[in-house]
Amino acid sequence: MITAPAHSDFAGAALVSPKGRLLGVGSIYTQLTAPGIGAVPCNMYVPIDLLKPILEDLINSGRSREPPQPWLGVHLDETYGRVIVIRTAKDGPSARAGLNTGDIIVGIDGKPVQGLPDFYRKLWATGKAGLVVSLSVLQGDKIRSIKIQSEDRHKYLKLRPGSKYTKWS
């Protein structure tokens, strides 16, 4: 579920229907490409029905018991269906593999990508964290194949003492 206008502090916020029914929980600040308009900042909410099966795990440990999805340590954006690297996590998998700000990801494991949702669907379909992901990346005027050893993001991110928020190192 997507809401707009966006608000940077909506992570964890409740999305409630006009009748007071909980519909979802705020997840990330992102953008949606609207035809004829362009990129619109918005918030994505996880539907409450998707949380019910893992709610006990989230309360007890802050995460699902399911195997972690592959994490590449990269912050991406989308423009006209192209997936662009905005930044990489310091010493994270993508930075170590040579991915750079401004690179354009055009494929994953030999399959073309069209936008962020398609990129993440294909990334997560490759398997669990720890596998090697092969990206086709436009760097300057050349397309390179970059192999990235994915990780479990929870092993990389660290809590700041006294804070409930995580940080990029």
Side-chain angles (χ1 to χ4, degrees):
M1 292 184 277
I2 303 288
T3 64
H7 194 287
S8 62
D9 291 333
F10 278 7
L15 179 62
V16 180
S17 77
K19 293 185 178 183
R21 183 174 166 258
L22 179 63
L23 300 175
V25 176
S27 177
I28 61 171
Y29 180 86
T30 187
Q31 65 179 335
L32 179 67
T33 302
I37 297 174
V40 177
C42 59
N43 294 99
M44 185 188 84
Y45 284 77
V46 176
I48 195 64
D49 293 342
L50 295 178
L51 290 174
K52 286 178 183 175
I54 63 169
L55 186 57
E56 186 176 329
D57 293 342
L58 293 176
I59 291 169
N60 293 330
S61 67
R63 61 189 293 190
S64 167
R65 276 187 234 166
E66 295 294 316
Q69 295 174 318
W71 179 74
L72 303 180
V74 64
H75 182 81
L76 305 169
D77 205 347
E78 177 184 334
T79 302
Y80 300 108
R82 292 183 175 97
V83 177
I84 302 167
V85 176
I86 300 302
R87 72 173 186 252
T88 59
K90 183 180 176 188
D91 299 323
S94 290
R96 290 191 307 266
L99 211 57
N100 300 306
T101 298
D103 288 350
I104 300 173
I105 299 172
V106 297
I108 183 166
D109 284 345
K111 299 173 192 142
V113 294
Q114 293 293 318
L116 282 173
D118 188 44
F119 172 82
Y120 282 109
R121 280 186 202 102
K122 286 178 177 161
L123 173 64
W124 295 334
T126 61
K128 60 182 184 172
L131 57 87
V132 175
V133 177
S134 180
L135 298 181
S136 297
V137 179
L138 178 62
Q139 289 185 322
D141 62 354
K142 293 187 170 85
I143 294 181
R144 292 185 51 215
S145 178
I146 297 180
K147 296 193 181 308
I148 302 174
Q149 179 78 45
S150 68
E151 295 181 11
D152 175 354
R153 70 184 180 101
H154 292 282
K155 291 181 180 175
Y156 178 83
L157 299 175
K158 295 175 180 56
L159 290 176
R160 288 183 276 177
S163 172
K164 62 181 178 178
Y165 301 106
T166 57
K167 67 174 181 177
W168 289 68
S169 292

